[in-house]
């Protein structure tokens, strides 16, 4: 994972740290559980509601299950995922 997009794995340039639940929607800004690393394209798609929270979760889980099963298990235990 590191500095690549948690949806597609893109890492050609700097990715964005995005809120899972935005500050405007009352999401916490003081916990790492409310952040994901997204490429600029996926970040904008998510911010403009072209990808729903459920879709984002499914996409991230799908990638994690393929490549990082130990991290996928941790995410299953968090309240946001």
């Amino acid at each position: 994972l590191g500095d690549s997009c948690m949806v597609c794995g893109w890492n050609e340039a700097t990715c964005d740290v995005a809120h899972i639940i935005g500050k405007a929607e009352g999401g916490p800004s003081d916990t790492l559980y409310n952040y994901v690393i997204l490429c600029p394209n996926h970040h904008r798609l998510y911010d403009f509601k072209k990808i729903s929270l459920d879709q984002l979760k499914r996409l991230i889980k799908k990638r994690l299950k393929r490549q990082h099963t130990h991290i996928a298990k941790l995410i299953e235990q968090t309240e946001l995922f």
Side-chain angles (χ1 to χ4, degrees):
L1 286 171
D3 58 355
S4 63
C5 177
M6 294 178 76
V7 173
C8 68
W10 184 83
N11 65 355
E12 298 299 315
T14 304
C15 285
D16 302 334
V17 177
H19 289 95
I20 296 169
I21 301 174
K23 291 185 273 186
E25 288 86 31
S29 60
D30 61 346
T31 177
L32 290 176
Y33 294 120
N34 193 38
Y35 294 106
V36 290
I37 299 171
L38 299 174
C39 67
N41 290 333
H42 282 112
H43 190 182
R44 299 319 171 266
L45 287 169
Y46 184 63
D47 280 353
F48 290 105
K49 311 275 190 265
K50 303 295 182 186
I51 298 174
S52 70
L53 177 56
D54 286 338
Q55 289 172 313
L56 182 68
K57 289 178 185 181
R58 281 194 302 272
L59 290 167
I60 291 172
K61 285 180 183 180
K62 183 177 177 181
R63 180 163 183 261
L64 287 173
K65 285 180 182 176
R66 282 195 319 261
Q67 298 178 352
H68 306 281
T69 54
H70 61 288
I71 296 172
K73 289 177 185 175
L74 290 173
I75 286 179
E76 289 291 335
Q77 297 171 6
T78 67
E79 61 189 55
L80 294 175
F81 272 87

